[in-house]
Amino acid sequence: PKELPQNCLDTGKNKVQLPVFKTLFLAILAGAYIAFAAEGSTMAVHDIASAGFGRFIAGVIFSTGLMLVIICGAELFTGNVLIWVGVLDRSISIGMMLKNLFWVYVGNFLGSFLLAYLMYLSGLWMYNGGLPGVYVLKIALGKVSLSFTESFARGILCNWLVCLAVWMSYASKDLTGKIWGIFFPIMLFITSGFEHSVANMYYIPAGILAKRVPALASLANLGDKIGMLTWNGMVNNLIPVTLGNIVGGTLFVATFYWFAYHRQLPGKEAILKKQQYS
C-alpha cells in the first residue's frame, strides 16, 4: 500500500505530459474499449430472467473493458481522476489535470459513440427477435430517468470502485495479477448498478439510435417514455454522473490513500525520534 501512491503519482505525471493528439487518440480507444464491454455485457444478459444474476454476468464481462484500457494502454476519464494524487503532492498543477481530463472526456465520448453507431449499423440488436435492442432501449431509458441525486450518488459509488481497480492494478507487475486486481471491483460495481460516465456515453446514445429502428421501438412498447431518450436527456444524466465519478475517485481513493501513506507531515521524523528516545 505504501508504494501505490508513488506509482499512481508517476503514472499521472506521464499522462499530463502527453501531447494533446496522443491523449485524444488513446482516449478514443479507451471509450471504444468500455463500449465493447458495455455492448458485450448487453448481448450476453438480454434474455436472462433474473435481474440479479444478469447483473453479475454483465459485471463479469464488463470487467474486460478496464483490462483493455490498463493493459493495452489507453486514457480513461474515470481512471485519470487519480491524477489528483499529483495535485495533492504539488507536482502536477490543477490546470494540467483539467486539460488532460477535458481531452480524455472528449475522446472517450467519440470512441463510445463510434461503437454505438457501429452496433446500430450491424443489425445485431435484432438478434433473437430483437430482444437485445429492446434491452438496449430499457437500459438507456432507466439511466435518463434517474434524478440528479440518484445519478450523482451512483456516480460516486461507481468510481470509488473503478479507481480502486486501477489502484490495485498498480500493485502487480505481471499480467495475471493486473487482470485479477481489475476484475473484482469492476464486477462489483456493475452488479451493484452504479453509474459510470464513459459507459453511459455508450448506453444512452445506443438507446437513442435504437429508438430510430421502428421494429425495436414497437417491440419495446415503452409508450410515451421513449420520448425521454434524447441528447438532452443524455447530458442531464452525464452531468451528475461525471461529477459523482470525480468525487468518488479523487476523494475516496486518491485523497484518502495519499493522506494515509504518502503525505509528509512537517517534523514527522523529529517527532518519531523524540518518541523513540523518550
Side-chain angles (χ1 to χ4, degrees):
K2 292 181 180 180
E3 296 177 25
L4 297 182
Q6 185 61 50
N7 291 347
C8 185
L9 178 61
D10 293 340
T11 301
K13 289 178 180 178
N14 291 332
K15 288 178 179 294
V16 297
Q17 291 171 4
L18 284 174
V20 169
F21 75 94
K22 284 189 177 181
T23 299
L24 187 61
F25 287 167
L26 291 172
I28 290 172
L29 289 177
Y33 296 159
I34 297 301
F36 270 125
E39 65 82 11
S41 61
T42 300
M43 293 295 291
V45 306
H46 70 271
D47 57 352
I48 294 180
S50 171
F53 183 68
R55 281 185 173 181
F56 169 72
I57 296 299
V60 170
I61 296 171
F62 192 92
S63 63
T64 306
L66 189 61
M67 293 175 192
L68 292 173
V69 170
I70 297 294
I71 296 169
C72 297
E75 296 292 304
L76 182 65
F77 176 83
T78 47
N80 279 24
V81 300
L82 288 174
I83 294 173
W84 183 248
V85 170
V87 177
L88 293 173
D89 197 63
R90 298 184 180 179
S91 57
I92 297 174
S93 70
I94 188 68
M96 294 169 70
M97 176 180 175
L98 292 177
K99 178 182 177 182
N100 176 272
L101 291 181
F102 171 79
W103 287 110
V104 169
Y105 198 84
V106 170
N108 287 170
F109 176 76
L110 293 176
S112 297
F113 181 78
L114 173 64
L115 259 292
Y117 190 68
L118 289 174
M119 285 297 294
Y120 167 69
L121 295 178
S122 73
L124 285 170
W125 289 336
M126 293 305 298
Y127 169 75
N128 194 18
L131 291 181
V134 171
Y135 193 59
V136 165
L137 285 167
K138 290 182 178 180
I139 289 176
L141 181 60
K143 292 182 179 299
V144 299
S145 300
L146 294 173
S147 68
F148 187 99
T149 301
E150 290 172 331
S151 298
F152 180 68
R154 296 184 193 189
I156 292 174
L157 294 166
C158 165
N159 215 35
W160 191 342
L161 288 171
V162 171
C163 283
L164 283 175
V166 175
W167 197 264
M168 288 171 67
S169 75
Y170 295 148
S172 177
K173 295 180 180 179
D174 63 75
L175 187 63
T176 303
K178 288 185 181 296
I179 288 173
W180 285 113
I182 292 167
F183 174 78
F184 288 102
I186 301 303
M187 177 272 292
L188 180 57
F189 113 67
I190 291 292
T191 303
S192 301
F194 301 148
E195 293 290 302
H196 188 274
S197 57
V198 181
N200 288 5
M201 292 175 186
Y202 168 81
Y203 285 126
I204 300 176
I208 294 171
L209 292 171
K211 186 178 71 169
R212 299 175 59 182
V213 181
L216 289 178
S218 175
L219 190 62
N221 193 29
L222 297 173
D224 294 338
K225 290 182 179 180
I226 201 170
M228 297 174 64
L229 288 175
T230 63
W231 297 112
N232 185 57
M234 182 191 73
V235 171
N236 289 338
N237 171 270
L238 285 181
I239 289 174
V241 171
T242 300
L243 292 174
N245 287 167
I246 292 171
V247 172
T250 58
L251 177 60
F252 293 108
V253 182
T255 302
F256 276 36
Y257 279 117
W258 180 80
F259 268 95
Y261 290 116
H262 199 72
R263 184 188 181 204
Q264 299 298 318
L265 296 175
K268 182 179 179 181
E269 292 184 2
I271 294 172
L272 290 175
K273 288 183 180 179
K274 184 178 179 180
Q275 292 176 344
Q276 181 179 357
Y277 294 105
S278 62

